[in-house]
Amino acid sequence: MALENFTEDENHKTVQELFCSAEFVSGVESELIFLSALNMFLSVTAFLGNTLILVALHKATSLHPPSKLLYRNLAIADLCVGIIAEPLEVTYWTSFVNERWDICYYANWPATFSGYTLCTVSLLTLTAISVDRLLALLLGLRYRQVVTLKRTYITVISFWILSIFGASSIFWNRFVTSIYQYIGTPLCLVTAIFAYTKIFCTLRHNQIHVQNHAAQGQTSQAIPLNIARYRKAVYGALWVQGTLVVCCLPYVIVVALHPQRGIPVSTYIAEEFAVTIFYLNSSLNPLLYCWKIREVRQAVKETLRKLFCRSS
């Protein structure tokens, strides 16, 4: 995903010479081989893990359909990382090592495009999940009337359209790309932070309210049980959100610190390692789903049990 560091006056010929040349790759062959092997492994784990999660989400009937659709969309984006983005990055890196500059150049563009698209889809989807959890708390009984499956489908489709448009802008308008990077990403993070802060403040207020009623002998078992279940769902979503931020942070730091003109080889390697850490998130998410979402964990256990029974 090195293409985002181009300066405005670099043409396509300069780009090809910069990122697909023997001079640029000299001395970093071992690092690229290591990255290729690691991403091949992560590609397999992302594919297997998210395929299993998609099957489990299909079987988990107790989850609210719009919420399940958002998690399904996130799993699809992670699955695409495993079967599209990472294989393209591996092709790009191995073409460096083998000095196949024709393959290098043509693998670099789709690798960058797919990486940006899937990154944006994941970020937007996680932001939508945080807003969805907030609406579930604030709307109460009206939640199922407001947050419908049809509206969620429209939201998810718009995420993919916006992400594809933003990724394609890398190749024709760097200003649009900058808007996505420096405005869109912080806006998503601020929205998620606001949503979770509002959620925990509201939960704290509800807890005090319940305790006051309990002290007056007006306790009700339905409210605490619902709040407890909702709290688990929020913590699960927050873990997924936090893991994405942690995996994305090294890439943000490297890009923020790279020189304005030109890219040293050391910076390029650091950036490619940061990209790998970000792609690691797609392999970690299935583990988080199984750990934090009880319905998904039960469906995964059932799927694996049937799978092993058939194989035996």
Side-chain angles (χ1 to χ4, degrees):
M1 292 176 64
L3 290 178
E4 78 283 353
N5 290 329
F6 295 161
T7 56
E8 292 294 337
D9 58 347
E10 287 175 325
N11 55 35
H12 293 302
K13 182 178 179 180
T14 304
V15 168
Q16 186 174 12
E17 291 175 351
L18 178 61
F19 293 111
C20 296
S21 64
E23 293 80 9
F24 186 75
V25 76
S26 178
V28 296
E29 291 86 350
S30 59
E31 288 86 348
L32 293 177
I33 292 174
F34 172 76
L35 285 172
S36 299
L38 179 58
N39 276 267
M40 288 175 63
F41 172 76
L42 293 179
S43 175
V44 174
T45 57
F47 169 73
L48 294 178
N50 287 285
T51 299
L52 185 60
I53 291 300
L54 288 172
V55 174
L57 287 173
H58 179 72
K59 295 181 178 180
T61 57
S62 59
L63 290 175
H64 185 43
S67 300
K68 183 164 68 172
L69 176 59
L70 291 174
Y71 278 109
R72 184 179 296 171
N73 188 59
L74 186 60
I76 290 174
D78 289 334
L79 178 64
C80 289
V81 168
I83 63 177
I84 299 176
E86 288 180 302
L88 285 172
E89 287 288 353
V90 171
T91 302
Y92 171 54
W93 291 328
T94 54
S95 67
F96 258 37
V97 177
N98 297 320
E99 297 187 0
R100 294 295 305 273
W101 310 125
D102 53 340
I103 298 177
C104 170
Y105 179 67
Y106 290 108
N108 197 358
W109 292 105
T112 302
F113 176 80
S114 61
Y116 264 97
T117 300
L118 298 173
C119 170
T120 307
V121 169
S122 297
L123 185 60
L124 289 172
T125 303
L126 281 171
T127 304
I129 290 174
S130 67
V131 174
D132 173 70
R133 293 297 82 204
L134 178 61
L135 292 177
L137 180 63
L138 297 181
L139 296 179
L141 297 177
R142 294 181 56 243
Y143 167 71
R144 293 180 179 270
Q145 299 175 353
V146 175
V147 183
T148 62
L149 188 59
K150 180 180 178 180
R151 291 174 178 172
T152 309
Y153 266 113
I154 294 174
T155 301
V156 166
I157 293 173
S158 67
F159 286 169
W160 283 93
I161 294 174
L162 286 173
S163 300
I164 292 173
F165 176 78
S168 63
S169 69
I170 299 173
F171 311 122
W172 53 268
N173 193 322
R174 293 293 301 165
F175 178 73
V176 176
T177 306
S178 299
I179 292 177
Y180 270 72
Q181 285 183 331
Y182 301 116
I183 298 179
T185 301
L187 183 61
C188 288
L189 294 178
V190 169
T191 301
I193 292 172
F194 170 80
Y196 286 117
T197 302
K198 179 67 175 177
I199 286 171
F200 287 114
C201 289
T202 305
L203 287 176
R204 177 62 180 168
H205 179 269
N206 288 346
Q207 183 180 5
I208 295 174
H209 181 72
V210 170
Q211 290 174 350
N212 291 337
H213 277 271
Q216 298 173 6
Q218 301 175 358
T219 183
S220 172
Q221 294 296 327
I223 295 178
L225 289 176
N226 289 336
I227 292 296
R229 181 177 180 182
Y230 173 81
R231 190 187 297 270
K232 290 181 179 180
V234 169
Y235 276 122
L238 188 57
W239 267 93
V240 177
Q241 180 95 40
T243 303
L244 175 67
V245 172
V246 171
C247 291
C248 187
L249 188 60
Y251 180 79
V252 174
I253 294 175
V254 172
V255 171
L257 295 179
H258 81 80
Q260 292 297 321
R261 298 184 62 86
I263 304 176
V265 175
S266 59
T267 302
Y268 168 78
I269 292 299
E271 182 179 328
E272 298 309 298
F273 270 98
V275 169
T276 300
I277 294 174
F278 176 76
Y279 287 158
L280 171 65
N281 180 71
S282 297
S283 297
L284 294 178
N285 277 342
L287 299 177
L288 294 175
Y289 300 151
C290 293
W291 179 31
K292 288 296 182 179
I293 305 178
R294 181 176 58 86
E295 295 85 354
V296 174
R297 181 170 62 251
Q298 292 175 346
V300 167
K301 289 180 179 180
E302 180 183 352
T303 302
L304 291 176
R305 189 181 302 112
K306 291 182 179 179
L307 181 63
F308 287 129
C309 288
R310 290 179 181 177
S311 60
S312 61

